[in-house]
Amino acid sequence: MKPVFLLLCLANVLFFFWELHFGALTQTADTPSGLPPILLVEEWNTARRGAAISRILDRDAAELQRFAGLDSLLPAQPQRLVGFSETAEKKPPRPLQVKREPVRIHCYEAGPFADDSELQRWLHGKSLLSVRRYYRELAVPADYQVYYPAAKDPEQSRINKMMLQAKGVVDIWMVPEGDLKGALSLGVFVEKNRAQSFREQLAARGIRAEVRQRSKTRQALFVRFGASRAVAGGAPQQRLPAAECD
């Protein structure tokens, strides 16, 4: 029995490979038939809607092409920025702002003034900055002195004095200091014309005298202020250096 069983098994294996070799186990493709395909109701409704939508799109595309042709025949319109109204477009341009240069303030001194009342009258109605009144010594004309020039040495000065006395000049005194130290003063006059007349008299006697105006100091009233320029009219004024301004 065992040999028969083995022969049957071998026969089945050989039959299986024979079928596999000749395509018995390969699936054959379905051959198309000549019958029309079956269309479902839903597929038919979908096809109808697609056809209707296609016709609408074709119609809109034709309208757009027609309007595009008309726009090309019209004159070009100016472009407008989105978000701006007609009022904003017609708004006049803003005037240019002129840059103004800063005003420089300078320091000035005015005076002298006779007294505080005269100073107040001068300040009235004037727009000044940092006004400060003060006193300082001022040299003012005093009188006129007739003198004989100083000698080179004391001996010559003594000889000159004897010569003047011999010619009738008795009021003689030596200047002790200053720029005329050593000169011989012959007279002092309040008026200039009287001093010049006396000098001419001495010249007639052969004396070569000189005349000079003497001055004295007094406390004078001044005012210091700041302004862009000097104030017109009134007391004498002068511009001071920046270092002297407070």
Side-chain angles (χ1 to χ4, degrees), residues 103-245:
V103 179
R104 285 185 66 88
I105 301 300
H106 305 287
C107 185
Y108 293 91
E109 180 187 69
F113 298 92
D115 50 28
D116 190 68
S117 299
E118 182 182 357
L119 173 59
Q120 294 301 326
R121 288 194 297 270
W122 185 83
L123 292 174
H124 181 71
K126 295 179 175 64
S127 299
L128 306 177
L129 301 175
S130 304
V131 178
R132 183 171 66 89
R133 58 189 297 275
Y134 59 96
Y135 287 90
R136 66 179 174 88
E137 289 188 350
L138 181 68
V140 295
D143 50 31
Y144 297 88
Q145 183 181 33
V146 182
Y147 65 96
Y148 192 82
K152 296 180 180 180
D153 51 53
E155 181 61 23
Q156 184 63 44
S157 180
R158 186 179 67 81
I159 295 173
N160 291 341
K161 185 176 182 180
M162 292 175 60
M163 180 270 297
L164 292 172
Q165 290 175 344
K167 292 185 177 185
V169 182
V170 295
D171 189 7
I172 302 174
W173 62 275
M174 184 177 291
V175 180
E177 58 185 8
D179 54 348
L180 291 181
K181 182 180 181 180
L184 300 175
S185 177
L186 307 179
V188 177
F189 303 88
V190 176
E191 297 177 1
K192 183 178 180 179
N193 56 352
R194 293 187 61 185
Q196 290 177 344
S197 177
F198 181 63
R199 184 186 64 175
E200 292 173 359
Q201 294 175 13
L202 294 176
R205 301 179 194 178
I207 302 174
R208 293 180 298 126
E210 301 291 341
V211 178
R212 72 152 183 173
Q213 184 181 18
R214 299 195 305 180
S215 61
K216 62 181 180 180
T217 60
R218 68 177 179 87
Q219 293 293 320
L221 179 60
F222 288 84
V223 64
R224 186 171 295 178
F225 59 92
S228 59
R229 60 180 180 273
V231 181
Q237 303 170 50
Q238 63 175 343
R239 181 175 169 179
L240 301 178
E244 298 186 15
C245 295

Side-chain angles (χ1 to χ4, degrees), residues 44-119:
W44 183 73
N45 292 331
T46 301
R48 290 184 57 190
R49 286 196 298 268
I53 292 173
S54 179
R55 287 194 300 272
I56 295 174
L57 292 177
D58 293 341
R59 184 188 60 189
D60 293 342
E63 291 291 332
L64 289 176
Q65 291 179 358
R66 185 170 62 85
F67 283 119
L70 293 176
D71 290 340
S72 62
L73 300 177
L74 296 177
Q77 297 294 329
Q79 297 182 355
R80 299 180 181 178
L81 296 178
V82 178
F84 285 85
S85 61
E86 292 290 339
T87 305
E89 292 179 359
K90 296 181 180 179
K91 186 177 180 180
R94 297 176 61 185
L96 297 177
Q97 295 182 356
V98 180
K99 184 179 180 180
R100 298 183 178 180
E101 295 294 333
V103 179
R104 285 185 66 88
I105 301 300
H106 305 287
C107 185
Y108 293 91
E109 180 187 69
F113 298 92
D115 50 28
D116 190 68
S117 299
E118 182 182 357
L119 173 59

